[in-house]
Amino acid sequence: MFTMEERVMTKVFDYKSLDELKNQGEGKYFYIHTYGCQMNEEDSEKLSGMLKRLGYTRTEEKTEAEIILFNTCCVRENAENKVFGNLGQLKALKAKNPDLIVGICGCMMQQEGMADKILKQFPYVNIIFGTHNAYKFPEYLNRVKTEGVQIKEIFNKEEEIVEGLPVDRKSDVKAFVTIMYGCNNFCTYCIVPYVRGRERSRKPEDILKEIKELVANGYKEITLLGQNVNSYGKGLENEVSFAELLRMINEIDGLERVRFMTSHPKDLNDDVIKAIKECGKLCEQIHLPVQSGSNRILKKMNRHYTREYYLLVLNKIKREIPDVALTTDIIVGFPGETEEDFIDTLELVKEVKYDAAFTFIYSRRNNTPADMMLDQVNDEDKHNRFNRLVEAVNSNVIAQNKAYEGKIVEVLVEGTSKNDESKLSGRTRNGRLVNFAAEGVKVGDIVNVTITKAQNFSLIGEVCK
Ligand code: SAH
Ligand code: SF4
Ligand code: F3S
């Protein structure tokens, strides 16, 4: 619970600062590389939105960019290694174009000592900022351009929520809408609470306003984002529960589909399940990370639920919401995980029959409790378990897709197919990817599609006439 003093404050972004510099980017290009999760993608859409307001154009070619920005992730070591690799490659570009401005931001920068480490190794970086001050990027950029200074500014503590930033969205059909920032859960393996700060919820009126504007601009689907959406609303002046927020969003005319992520099994309650069941716009899809099937490991992870409780919640969801797709995140090789613990996870996966699962090898993160545990699992066991888990997950996903052959599904058309430009692609309400011939259909339409063939991880179909 928040006290009055701790209550989350909101401020509105000051557009004047952008408008004064409006011509800065005319005829110039910027390149953004986003690592990590949807939270970072959403932040990048705002960084891109601000740069476009400054007159810049987005490019996918680093060589033509005046600004190169890396929005970083540090959830696992390999995410960080990618950033280091890509930063090294910029040296040659910088030598060719001394006017190139390199910026690094995001979660990785919030780790103690990381910004200095980067500046030492890559002295040509011009701007470094963190997750709490991204809205200041235009100001930093202007100072680099006009004063020639190098900027490193990272706030250790979360500030007010900044509303009203310009957003440059990737899709014209579906959009991410962040409903809360930060995390209070401190799972022992996870660095997110340290780099994203404490939980802060946006006011429902700000969220509803953003969604209504999206709908007015033709958007059909939104995905509500938060590290733990089920604890939405705590600390607001007028507390609102997540289920209540869902019901308010469901009333928005013209909106077709609503998804959300991520739910924590300990907090997903009956009200939310009931809301999904009763609200037509809420899609039949729930991402419920289990992390491990072993009670011993769940306890060491500080997850606050048991395998039995998790299965109870899941079975309730399956009972109440027909055709629901269930997805999850799983970590193998957490400190102290034995073969028996791993078998518990494997059996849970076989029992639940997930529609998709994101599987990860445990990665030690500096200053997290699990990093200090003495019983770290060796690499060989980690990889061996990972391969067995992926096989179990995939064989089930493939079997589930096969069962769709001959069925008719409702698809929101999102764009052209990645592998075949002559085809369109979209998703079913429960999140399955479907590719189909484009005749008579356009992006943004909702159509019924007969599934003619199941691929391993997608479906092929024909639009019903
Ligand atoms: N808040 C969300 C997402 C957190 S990050 C949630 O609670 O599910 C996404 C996933 O990364 C986590 O669910 C977890 O499975 C994985 N992850 C986090 N820290 C990790 C680590 N140190 N090593 C391996 N996987 C990790
Ligand atoms: Fe990390 Fe756990 Fe918070 Fe998810 S709930 S962000 S895994 S600490
Ligand atoms: Fe997301 Fe990575 Fe940050 S997973 S919250 S971008 S550490």
Side-chain angles (χ1 to χ4, degrees):
M1 254 333 197
F2 287 76
T3 63
M4 282 296 278
E5 289 71 34
E6 285 169 321
R7 198 168 272 160
V8 182
M9 302 301 288
T10 304
K11 75 177 171 198
V12 179
F13 184 70
D14 174 15
Y15 268 90
K16 264 207 321 259
S17 59
L18 292 186
D19 291 340
E20 279 163 15
L21 306 169
K22 221 167 185 164
N23 302 323
Q24 207 176 60
E26 244 157 51
K28 294 178 182 143
Y29 293 88
F30 68 94
Y31 169 95
I32 301 188
H33 189 134
T34 310
Y35 305 79
C37 68
Q38 289 85 354
M39 285 280 169
N40 259 19
E41 294 215 11
E42 227 263 68
D43 287 346
S44 286
E45 289 183 343
K46 288 179 180 150
L47 290 162
S48 176
M50 290 190 277
L51 285 168
K52 283 199 169 170
R53 280 288 293 230
L54 293 174
Y56 290 92
T57 306
R58 187 167 183 155
T59 174
E60 299 305 319
E61 288 298 326
K62 282 193 202 112
T63 45
E64 67 177 6
E66 189 203 62
I67 301 167
I68 294 181
L69 193 58
F70 288 167
N71 190 4
T72 63
C73 166
C74 54
V75 76
R76 284 169 292 275
E77 192 183 0
N78 53 9
E80 286 188 349
N81 289 342
K82 275 190 226 155
V83 174
F84 281 113
N86 290 347
L87 267 175
Q89 289 168 8
L90 293 188
K91 194 170 180 181
L93 279 182
K94 195 83 182 181
K96 249 194 241 159
N97 174 13
D99 293 332
L100 174 66
I101 295 173
V102 176
I104 317 182
C105 61
C107 296
M108 204 172 151
M109 298 306 106
Q110 291 292 144
Q111 293 178 91
E112 217 181 301
M114 184 56 81
D116 291 330
K117 184 173 163 186
I118 285 187
L119 286 179
K120 206 163 156 204
Q121 216 171 319
F122 311 99
Y124 46 81
V125 170
N126 304 85
I127 311 174
I128 289 187
F129 55 98
T131 57
H132 304 308
N133 55 339
Y135 70 97
K136 289 189 141 205
F137 177 52
E139 180 189 318
Y140 301 147
L141 185 63
N142 188 43
R143 286 192 54 206
V144 168
K145 289 182 83 141
T146 55
E147 300 165 35
V149 289
Q150 188 176 46
I151 288 183
K152 179 189 90 175
E153 187 164 83
I154 293 148
F155 297 170
N156 289 327
K157 226 180 119 25
E158 55 277 7
E159 279 200 333
E160 309 102 309
I161 290 178
V162 184
E163 290 291 348
L165 286 164
V167 195
D168 170 36
R169 299 190 193 262
K170 251 193 187 159
S171 158
D172 297 326
V173 177
K174 56 177 192 173
F176 293 132
V177 174
T178 303
I179 60 166
M180 60 186 298
Y181 300 90
C183 179
N184 289 355
N185 284 321
F186 290 96
C187 304
T188 52
Y189 49 82
C190 186
I191 199 163
V192 171
Y194 304 90
V195 296
R196 286 273 170 181
R198 295 293 66 72
E199 282 179 0
R200 286 146 287 149
S201 294
R202 288 177 70 195
K203 288 187 200 141
E205 54 268 34
D206 289 331
I207 296 169
L208 293 171
K209 182 168 165 252
E210 180 175 354
I211 299 173
K212 282 178 187 160
E213 280 169 11
L214 284 165
V215 172
N217 285 316
Y219 284 82
K220 299 279 163 56
E221 175 178 311
I222 53 149
T223 301
L224 306 172
L225 293 182
Q227 297 297 351
N228 179 17
V229 288
N230 299 104
S231 70
Y232 171 79
K234 292 186 187 136
L236 287 172
E237 196 162 355
N238 300 311
E239 287 208 1
V240 175
S241 73
F242 182 54
E244 286 166 333
L245 178 74
L246 288 175
R247 286 180 189 277
M248 288 189 247
I249 293 171
N250 190 59
E251 296 297 311
I252 297 177
D253 279 339
L255 181 63
E256 299 284 350
R257 289 178 170 190
V258 181
R259 305 182 192 278
F260 56 85
M261 65 188 304
T262 298
S263 295
H264 194 301
K266 76 175 164 60
D267 296 322
L268 184 90
N269 58 28
D270 290 355
D271 288 348
V272 173
I273 299 176
K274 203 158 170 261
I276 301 173
K277 191 177 168 179
E278 292 173 3
C279 298
K281 290 171 187 169
L282 300 190
C283 289
E284 295 76 15
Q285 179 204 4
I286 298 187
H287 183 61
L288 202 62
V290 67
Q291 311 298 359
S292 168
S294 152
N295 282 337
R296 213 173 59 81
I297 297 299
L298 286 171
K299 194 155 198 222
K300 278 185 92 180
M301 286 177 162
N302 194 32
R303 289 290 288 179
H304 294 285
Y305 55 84
T306 60
R307 171 198 182 93
E308 292 74 26
Y309 181 77
Y310 180 86
L311 288 172
L312 198 85
V313 176
L314 221 64
N315 288 329
K316 202 183 297 171
I317 295 171
K318 281 186 182 172
R319 219 176 30 242
E320 296 290 325
I321 309 164
D323 248 355
V324 68
L326 292 164
T327 58
T328 200
D329 292 350
I330 302 170
I331 299 175
V332 296
F334 183 83
E337 185 188 73
T338 61
E339 177 65 17
E340 290 72 48
D341 293 318
F342 173 69
I343 297 290
D344 283 347
T345 301
L346 208 53
E347 302 217 309
L348 181 130
V349 165
K350 288 180 184 160
E351 183 181 335
V352 173
K353 298 194 169 51
Y354 288 107
D355 296 85
F358 301 93
T359 46
F360 306 106
I361 292 179
Y362 168 70
S363 169
R364 296 176 78 161
R365 304 286 67 211
N366 245 347
N367 299 324
T368 56
D371 183 37
M372 286 165 246
M373 293 177 187
L374 298 174
D375 43 2
Q376 301 288 328
V377 175
N378 67 59
D379 279 353
E380 197 187 328
D381 284 345
K382 279 183 181 169
H383 283 99
N384 171 288
R385 289 174 197 168
F386 180 76
N387 293 337
R388 285 150 72 200
L389 180 65
V390 169
E391 204 186 302
V393 168
N394 287 354
S395 66
N396 183 59
V397 173
I398 293 165
Q400 299 233 22
N401 277 346
K402 199 84 194 148
Y404 270 80
E405 287 184 352
K407 282 194 186 171
I408 295 176
V409 291
E410 182 203 288
V411 174
L412 168 60
V413 187
E414 294 177 6
T416 44
S417 162
K418 263 194 195 149
N419 302 323
D420 180 353
E421 294 250 320
S422 72
K423 287 202 164 134
L424 287 174
S425 92
R427 287 189 187 267
T428 63
R429 283 182 60 94
N430 67 13
R432 281 189 165 72
L433 186 65
V434 186
N435 293 307
F436 47 92
E439 285 152 44
V441 183
K442 60 182 189 315
V443 173
D445 286 351
I446 291 182
V447 289
N448 285 329
V449 175
T450 309
I451 302 305
T452 50
K453 193 170 169 22
Q455 310 275 64
N456 286 352
F457 301 102
S458 63
L459 304 168
I460 298 177
E462 279 167 14
V463 176
C464 299
K465 295 277 181 293

